[in-house]
Amino acid sequence: MIDVALASAIAASLAAVHSRLERAAARSGRDPSSIRLVAVSKTFGPDHVRAAFAAGQRDFGENRVQEGLTKAAEVADLPIAWHLVGHLQWNKVRKAVGPFAWIHSVDSPELLRRIDAIATERASRVPVLVQVDLAGEATKYGAPENVLDSIFEAASQCRFTAVTGLMLLPPYVEDPEAARPWFRRLRALRDEWRGRGVPEAWLAELSMGMSHDFEVAIEEGATIVRVGTAIFGSRRAVAA
Ligand SMILES: *Cc1c(COP(=O)(O)O)cnc(C)c1O
């Protein structure tokens, strides 16, 4: 049973997110159906996931492997595509490959090879994105630009893992316009690597943009936006 008040609140926020997404797509002459909305449900329980699912949402994101697996098990009756949007620790790869339909956070050739070894063992296809650290922030995860070369090199030897694009989690800025240069830079980086002969399919997706700045990300070419707060409300403070 879905709580009626929760269901209608989430349906309303989801509708608002869809209309923001559609307006941003229209402004940039893009087809809104070419943009995948990932509902980031971290810290929220299965009731929230069910409510969003009932309102038509099918892609959900989690930033922690264990929390994601627990939640996915609680709503295992629903055909949901789970996205791992947070850092993937070495010792969690075995758990993550399979249950997560997408992994957004590949940041080293070693991690990519490990994901592929396990995906190959299970004969399970895994699309992954390469998380790029454009800001050079010591505290953030992501591959520095100069590591992309070795990641694409590793990608050419993958058997079951398909690199499908780039992901960005830029430094937080209040003003969405201030995030625009980061989004633009990720797209430019994508174009640069295409120019160097990396296959189109490896660079098809740009996962960028969150609740407060996803319209700007769409204007700059995002194909996947990861939205939590604008759908589910603000998160309670949780221990890290
Ligand atoms: C939490 C999270 C989001 C969603 O953030 P909101 O501001 O709540 O929309 C997106 N991407 C990643 C990697 C996250 O951890």
Side-chain angles (χ1 to χ4, degrees), residues 2 7 10-11 13-18 21 35-41 47-61 75 78-83 224-228 230-232:
I2 295 174
I10 288 180
S13 349
L14 203 46
V17 167
H18 277 289
L21 187 154
I35 301 157
R36 188 186 295 263
L37 171 65
V38 174
V40 180
S41 50
D47 291 354
H48 285 70
V49 173
R50 286 187 187 281
F53 183 91
Q57 184 62 31
R58 295 296 178 268
D59 287 276
F60 289 80
V75 297
L78 306 179
I80 281 175
W82 289 97
H83 296 240
I224 302 177
V225 292
R226 311 177 308 264
V227 178
I231 298 172
F232 298 111

Side-chain angles (χ1 to χ4, degrees), residues 178-191:
R180 190 183 294 277
W182 296 114
F183 299 144
R184 198 167 276 175
R185 182 122 171 254
L186 192 73
R187 186 184 60 190
L189 193 65
R190 192 259 326 259
D191 295 343

